[in-house]
Amino acid sequence: MTEEPKRPEPPLTGDERTQLNGFLDFLRATVVWKCSGLTDEQARRALVPSELTTVAGLLGHLTLVEQYWFNVVLNGQEDLWKEALEADPDAEFRVAMQTPIEQLIAAYEAECERSRKVVAGMDLDDKVPFRGDREVNVRFVVAHMVEETGRHAGHLDLLREMIDGLTGE
């Protein structure tokens, strides 16, 4: 893979919601690009001292955080990872290391689509209960996911360059 994919450019103008969602969708597409076209072996290859910081591991983690922040926190659904993460805080990384990369990409894209639908039905100022007696608003979750996805897209950028030389924003 040498060609940069078509990714939705974040809008240069627009309201806060449009721009936050635009940047998040750009970063999500970047994650998919950086993970696409790899073999399962390449996606699982440990290239840094943290053996779980692999393309597959990071994609599994990003799928989990999409599911947690949007579906569990904002949408009030059951946390399907709770028990596994209590037993092993890195469970999503380990599960991803055993999952074919194409399946990981499809699961990530499906989770991102679910996240978009959750946010579409809410205002940025809407608040939900969070971890006991606290609250969190939609704006925090979307901004946090821009940060989280951007940070890990950077990790994926470096890993991908180390795997096969693919570079690009």
Side-chain angles (χ1 to χ4, degrees):
M1 172 185 282
T2 57
E3 191 175 305
E4 190 168 334
K6 303 288 184 232
R7 294 176 289 172
E9 285 294 325
L12 297 175
T13 62
D15 63 15
E16 180 182 19
R17 175 187 212 92
T18 300
Q19 291 188 312
L20 283 170
N21 287 335
F23 272 99
L24 185 52
D25 280 339
F26 176 81
L27 290 167
R28 287 167 169 158
T30 300
V31 165
V32 170
W33 173 40
K34 294 298 176 169
C35 296
S36 295
L38 295 174
T39 66
D40 291 336
E41 183 278 325
Q42 289 171 318
R44 295 175 185 149
R45 192 178 299 165
L47 298 166
V48 296
S50 170
E51 66 185 24
L52 297 176
T53 304
T54 64
V55 170
L58 289 169
L59 190 54
H61 173 69
L62 283 167
T63 303
L64 169 79
V65 295
E66 285 278 344
Q67 187 267 336
Y68 175 76
W69 283 102
F70 292 104
N71 203 42
V72 175
V73 173
L74 292 182
N75 204 27
Q77 298 299 307
E78 180 183 358
D79 185 353
L80 303 176
W81 280 90
K82 185 176 182 183
E83 288 182 25
L85 291 170
E86 286 172 354
D88 176 3
D90 295 320
E92 79 275 23
F93 288 90
R94 293 185 206 290
V95 168
M97 294 294 282
Q98 305 304 316
T99 307
I101 188 64
E102 292 303 321
Q103 187 176 334
L104 289 170
I105 291 169
Y108 178 68
E109 290 180 312
E111 201 61 54
C112 291
E113 185 57 32
R114 277 190 285 280
S115 298
R116 284 183 200 95
K117 289 178 182 174
V118 169
V119 169
M122 303 179 86
D123 291 328
L124 291 177
D125 290 323
D126 286 352
K127 294 177 187 171
V128 297
F130 183 65
R131 296 181 182 168
D133 63 347
R134 299 179 347 179
E135 290 183 320
V136 65
N137 67 16
V138 174
R139 179 180 289 101
F140 174 89
V141 171
V142 176
H144 171 67
M145 287 304 296
V146 169
E147 178 275 327
E148 178 95 9
T149 308
R151 180 164 32 97
H152 293 311
H155 295 140
L156 289 166
D157 190 42
L158 291 170
L159 292 173
R160 185 61 189 255
E161 185 173 357
M162 293 169 74
I163 291 169
D164 65 3
L166 179 75
T167 60
E169 179 187 331

